[in-house]
Amino acid sequence: MNLFENYENNIKEIDGILNEYGIKNLEEAKNLCDSKIEFPYETLRKLAPISYDRACWAYITGAAIAIKNNKNKAKEAIKDINIGLNAFREKKIETENIVSLLLNDNIKCVALKLKNTMITVPNNFIETIINLNQVRKMPLKIILSGVSKERAMILSTYNGFIHCKTNFNCVTCDLEILGEKNYGRKNIKCYGSNSLLEEMAIMEYENVDITMNVDDLTIGSTIAVAIAIENTLKN
């Protein structure tokens, strides 16, 4: 029985990578995860409801490698999780870099970039970013940006964010905060802007260290698995 798409074409290479870490095959990798950690299947499915079985097996592979290498901290596990992901990819990428930054306590504020076509936001992704604070020493501040002023108000109202109203002088590049209104219990500010210059001024005002797209499911899923590893192996 094929476990995921293109199984026959990829399984030899995947098993070969697992063998390098003393793991016989995917079945053994899954058993290792099941015996050691609370693997966040449901979290991954919520982050990416249309995700394929292939994605879940990729994270199982990475998590199993991390466990085999005794990586019980999220910061340590990320590299091994990325090895698992790349075992399933034709084009290798370094997801670990941005996730490592988000786990770095020197990074104090992240701006999640919204899309102007959004009516609702992927709250499961935002909750995953918030959960980073479970494995950070210093809380990570989150702001939302990248949309018009009108859209920022709509998104804040519907999703329970703090709507931040601003005025920007295009000549002097001065940013004025006109007021804030909290539409819920989430301690997350949502900004709208009329220009790239205004958005840059907002980033500077909030001391943003890093920006990322709010719908980057690979990053969100990597964070979820890394947190699961630390939370269940730390003792």
Side-chain angles (χ1 to χ4, degrees):
M1 175 182 172
N2 292 348
L3 298 175
F4 51 82
E5 301 77 16
N6 295 322
Y7 176 87
E8 295 294 342
N9 295 330
N10 301 131
I11 190 59
K12 185 176 180 180
E13 180 181 354
I14 293 167
D15 281 348
I17 291 171
L18 285 169
N19 294 164
E20 292 177 17
Y21 297 93
I23 303 170
K24 183 179 179 181
N25 51 34
L26 280 176
E27 182 179 359
E28 186 174 304
K30 184 177 184 303
N31 290 337
L32 182 59
C33 288
D34 289 343
S35 66
K36 296 290 186 179
I37 67 171
E38 297 175 8
F39 191 80
Y41 288 102
E42 293 304 316
T43 301
L44 296 183
R45 289 298 185 184
K46 287 177 182 177
L47 283 166
I50 60 171
S51 66
Y52 300 110
D53 290 333
R54 184 182 183 89
C56 283
W57 282 105
Y59 284 104
I60 287 171
T61 299
I65 292 171
I67 294 168
K68 199 71 174 179
N69 286 336
N70 296 313
K71 304 290 182 63
N72 59 0
K73 296 289 185 182
K75 290 180 182 179
E76 301 169 349
I78 292 167
K79 184 175 182 179
D80 290 345
I81 293 170
N82 195 66
I83 291 172
L85 295 181
N86 280 334
F88 284 73
R89 293 172 175 147
E90 291 184 10
K91 183 178 180 181
K92 312 305 182 186
I93 62 174
E94 300 301 322
T95 307
E96 64 191 271
N97 293 339
I98 190 166
V99 179
S100 295
L101 284 174
L102 291 170
L103 285 167
N104 188 331
D105 285 305
N106 290 324
I107 302 298
K108 295 180 172 56
C109 180
V110 59
L112 303 181
K113 305 282 284 183
L114 301 171
K115 295 180 180 178
N116 221 38
T117 54
M118 288 179 170
I119 296 177
T120 60
V121 300
N123 280 303
N124 290 316
F125 178 86
I126 292 175
E127 288 296 328
T128 299
I129 302 298
I130 293 173
N131 287 342
L132 279 167
N133 291 327
Q134 296 176 15
V135 293
R136 283 173 55 98
K137 293 180 181 178
M138 301 294 293
L140 180 68
K141 182 170 74 171
I142 302 168
I143 71 165
L144 306 176
S145 67
V147 293
S148 68
K149 293 177 183 290
E150 180 182 8
R151 182 63 61 181
M153 184 177 68
I154 293 171
L155 290 172
S156 298
T157 304
Y158 287 171
N159 297 278
F161 302 126
I162 301 170
H163 177 236
C164 298
K165 190 175 181 181
T166 61
N167 183 55
F168 182 69
N169 188 316
C170 296
V171 177
T172 63
C173 290
D174 289 331
L175 179 73
E176 181 184 5
I177 307 298
L178 300 178
E180 298 179 356
K181 186 170 182 180
N182 196 336
Y183 287 95
R185 292 180 295 177
K186 295 187 179 79
N187 189 29
I188 298 176
K189 294 180 180 180
C190 184
Y191 285 91
S193 58
N194 290 331
S195 67
L196 181 58
L197 280 176
E198 182 173 7
E199 186 169 349
M200 291 173 63
I202 291 168
M203 299 294 110
E204 183 176 358
Y205 172 79
E206 288 287 356
N207 295 313
V208 171
D209 296 303
I210 187 172
T211 64
M212 58 183 289
N213 293 329
V214 77
D215 56 354
D216 195 322
L217 301 179
T218 301
I219 290 175
S221 299
T222 300
I223 291 169
V225 174
I227 291 172
I229 287 173
E230 176 159 340
N231 282 343
T232 53
L233 294 183
K234 61 185 176 182
N235 296 322

